[in-house]
Amino acid sequence: MLAGKLLTRVSPGIAWALLRRRFEPQNWERRNGPARELASRAKPLVGIQQAILWGLQTDGVVSLPLSRLVEDEAVAREARRAAIEALDRPKVNSQIERRWSSSGAKWYVVRGLGLGASRRLPDGLARLVLDRHLLGVVNGYLGVAARLHYVDAWHNFPVRAADPAISAESWHRDHEDISVLKVAFMLDGVCPDSGPLFYVRGSQPGGPLADLCPAFSSIGARIRDAEVEAVIALGQVKVCTGAPGDLLLWDGVGLHHGGRARRRDRRVVIASYTSDVALGGCRYRASESVVHDLDESGRYALRLAPSRR
């Protein structure tokens, strides 16, 4: 967050040079040294974790029932309960009724927790996004111990056909880091009319289409529909629908758009994970009971000191 504020006070040319330098390989590796070392001590991924990692490395996007990755049914149950409670507050309901979000440019997304530099996570959401099985996949894909960059419960209400596409509803690449692993836990079923993610398979960093409409991580990109029509025609776009309780993982630096519900509301838990070099992001806190159960990767994700146990 501080980096973004400082860059607004210098000329565009200087800001561009500073951002480019921030993401140069040698600087990225240096700042992620401790995170790389922690990730190297992790147990090897096995079974479904390895399958998810392979899918992310191949296509940039994977979907599956959460229960296949996290066998403890209480994690999904409590995450759903916490998300619905966050979305069922009077302040949130009034925004849904007015069809206008009070936070951020995405006027069509009402957030249960809201935007802010620091947030206390409900236990149910914290246990989901810091689950060791999930973090194992996240860290395996990013190659470093990840930081929890963002998490919230979203309610997307349907937009009208005449409403212009804005922000994430347009094709784009995310900009916060050289890779940004995002996760969505579906509270309701997501169908073509309730705002599924559209993702160009293979457009993630290192993928065969990584150079399609490229964008430097420091500025991201907004891409015109015409520029990806050829890819769409080749059947490279995955429409990420799913059932309640499904988990969707994708690299946000790959080409994607989503969130445009047309006839049905969409309720999801959204989380994103980055390295220590990432721009922006929030700092999250969790209860003592949650923190007590975290392994080292979970503590690192929350920017906590290593456990003395």
Side-chain angles (χ1 to χ4, degrees), residues 167-172 196-200 225 237 254-260:
S167 187
E169 293 181 326
S170 300
W171 287 104
H172 67 284
L197 174 79
F198 289 74
Y199 196 93
V200 178
D225 289 348
V237 176
L255 276 169
H256 66 285
H257 79 77
R260 190 169 180 83

Side-chain angles (χ1 to χ4, degrees), residues 57-105:
Q57 292 171 338
T58 302
D59 290 338
V61 58
V62 174
S63 61
L64 73 162
L66 175 65
S67 58
R68 291 189 60 197
L69 177 63
V70 181
E71 295 180 356
D72 185 354
E73 296 180 356
V75 173
R77 183 172 63 249
E78 295 303 318
R80 177 180 175 81
R81 179 183 301 167
I84 290 177
E85 287 179 355
L87 291 171
D88 198 30
R89 296 180 295 126
K91 181 179 180 180
V92 174
N93 286 326
S94 66
Q95 294 176 63
I96 296 171
E97 292 172 0
R98 296 197 316 268
R99 298 187 72 255
W100 194 269
S101 172
S102 63
S103 58

Side-chain angles (χ1 to χ4, degrees), residues 34-294:
R36 177 81 76 185
E37 198 276 332
L38 177 56
S40 71
R41 301 199 304 266
K43 295 180 180 179
L45 301 184
V46 296
I48 189 62
Q49 288 180 305
Q50 187 63 46
I52 296 170
L53 177 61
W54 182 86
L56 287 170
Q57 292 171 338
T58 302
D59 290 338
V61 58
V62 174
S63 61
L64 73 162
L66 175 65
S67 58
R68 291 189 60 197
L69 177 63
V70 181
E71 295 180 356
D72 185 354
E73 296 180 356
V75 173
R77 183 172 63 249
E78 295 303 318
R80 177 180 175 81
R81 179 183 301 167
I84 290 177
E85 287 179 355
L87 291 171
D88 198 30
R89 296 180 295 126
K91 181 179 180 180
V92 174
N93 286 326
S94 66
Q95 294 176 63
I96 296 171
E97 292 172 0
R98 296 197 316 268
R99 298 187 72 255
W100 194 269
S101 172
S102 63
S103 58
K106 298 178 182 178
W107 60 270
Y108 52 89
V109 175
V110 180
R111 297 170 171 84
L113 302 182
L115 297 175
S118 178
R119 281 285 183 270
R120 164 73 154 72
L121 290 176
D123 285 1
L125 294 185
R127 292 189 187 279
L128 171 65
V129 300
L130 299 171
D131 177 82
R132 62 185 179 87
H133 301 92
L134 176 59
L135 281 179
V137 173
V138 172
N139 296 348
Y141 180 75
L142 295 179
V144 297
R147 300 295 195 182
L148 180 61
H149 191 263
Y150 175 82
V151 60
D152 210 336
W154 284 10
H155 183 127
N156 290 55
F157 50 76
V159 300
R160 301 183 179 93
D163 293 333
I166 64 167
S167 187
E169 293 181 326
S170 300
W171 287 104
H172 67 284
R173 293 180 182 272
D174 291 344
H175 68 282
E176 294 88 354
D177 206 342
I178 61 173
S179 278
V180 179
L181 193 60
K182 293 190 167 184
V183 173
F185 173 59
M186 301 182 186
L187 303 176
D188 306 312
V190 175
C191 66
D193 288 332
S194 56
L197 174 79
F198 289 74
Y199 196 93
V200 178
R201 292 176 296 175
S203 64
Q204 77 281 5
L209 297 178
D211 293 331
L212 176 70
C213 308
F216 292 107
S217 56
S218 55
I219 61 170
R222 293 288 183 269
I223 297 104
R224 293 175 296 179
D225 289 348
E227 294 182 80
V228 294
E229 284 181 355
V231 179
I232 294 174
L234 293 173
Q236 285 295 112
V237 176
K238 178 178 176 65
V239 182
C240 303
T241 57
D246 278 3
L247 196 68
L248 177 66
L249 304 92
W250 72 99
D251 190 329
V253 179
L255 276 169
H256 66 285
H257 79 77
R260 190 169 180 83
R262 298 180 183 274
R263 291 189 175 89
R264 293 176 54 186
D265 296 59
R266 181 185 75 157
R267 297 185 302 173
V268 296
V269 174
I270 296 287
S272 63
Y273 305 84
T274 62
S275 79
D276 280 317
V277 182
L279 299 171
C282 297
R283 289 182 177 269
Y284 294 100
R285 306 184 306 277
S287 69
E288 291 184 8
S289 62
V290 170
V291 171
H292 179 270
D293 294 335
L294 294 178

